[in-house]
Amino acid sequence: MADEGARGITRRQLGGGALALGGALAFASLPADPAAAAAPSGGNAVTLRRGSARRAGLLSAPLRQLVTDAEAFLAPSPEHPWYAGAVLLAGRGGTVALHRPIGMAVRYSAYDEETDTGVEFPAEQQIPMAEDTVFDLASVSKLFTSILAVQQIERGALELEAAVASYLPDFGRAGKQDVTVRQLLTHTSGFRSWIPLYAAPTYEEKVRLVYDEKPASPPGTAYLYSDLNLISLQLVLEEVTGRSLDTLLAEEITGPLGMRRTRYTPPASWKPGIAATEDARRPWSGLDRGLVWGEVHDENAHSLGGVAGHAGVFSSAWDLAVLGRTLLNGGAYGRERILAPESVELMFTDFNTAFPGDEHGLGFELYQHW
């Protein structure tokens, strides 16, 4: 995938054809029950609790069908990659009506190229999927970085239309002097999608590669999804706050929201509760690492110590549902608030009206139901 990225792979192509040794993480919207009660109201923002489909205002049949479809997809099939398992979570308002682990969190130890099959661990070493299984979130990590950036915009430490080089003077090299914070968040900076930062031997040299990168198109003239945008935003955030990105995540998002299963660089003690990701080896991976389990899969994030603006966050289905509920609440969850309602609205405002089909808020893709 890394080599494909260097040739300008699109977001729509990124999901296809990979052998996933661990699991998938799925959220679903489902038809509402017309007899549903009104959403709860009160002094605190809506929080999540478990309940029946009817309490959630959902029809039970689509919930059952969701499980049936997932189990069928995860079964052996010549059409599908090998996904060992999944966690399904569905609800409405503050009620989670379905939270179902399916399959295995750890099943395959390797991929056999000659037979085109997954090599399974012995049965006694396999680990079933659980409700609280933790997953490598890959590019969903970008949403956390985006929220952290909007927090700093809200607080006045960062300006949306400011040049990135006004915070990081070295960033302005190679024609990037006019790239703005907004362009990083909306993938209109002109950066190509990917470069092999992991090939540089030191952290400083990896950063230098970003600073020396010349835009593939003039800033603001084209949409191209790029990891380099969120890596650059990480450098901006760390400069303006004086805190590392993992510290920001813990202090500004996961701590206040009680997302105890969400973090960068999970400790070794978490490994039995983490879904394995992939047998990473050349040529489909940039690095020969074998089974990736408990460490970030993305090669560049791995080379950056596991903490990166574009990848590296680990989380569970429930924690992500808490984050989703927080955004639907306008930035609050219970008594805690991480964003003002106006900031949340800004994140879901399309800034890419000049690029139909690539609608994008501040960090969030919009209306792209594929």
Side-chain angles (χ1 to χ4, degrees), residues 340-365:
E342 296 80 9
S343 296
V344 176
E345 184 177 352
L346 194 67
M347 297 191 80
F348 292 103
T349 297
D350 181 18
F351 284 87
N352 283 1
T353 55
F355 311 110
D358 290 314
E359 292 85 357
H360 220 288
L362 299 182
F364 284 73
E365 293 178 339

Side-chain angles (χ1 to χ4, degrees), residues 66-68 70-71 74 84-88 100-105 128-130:
L66 178 60
V67 175
T68 299
E71 289 175 338
L74 293 169
V87 175
L88 306 181
R100 180 76 60 87
I102 298 174
M104 309 301 291
M129 195 69 73

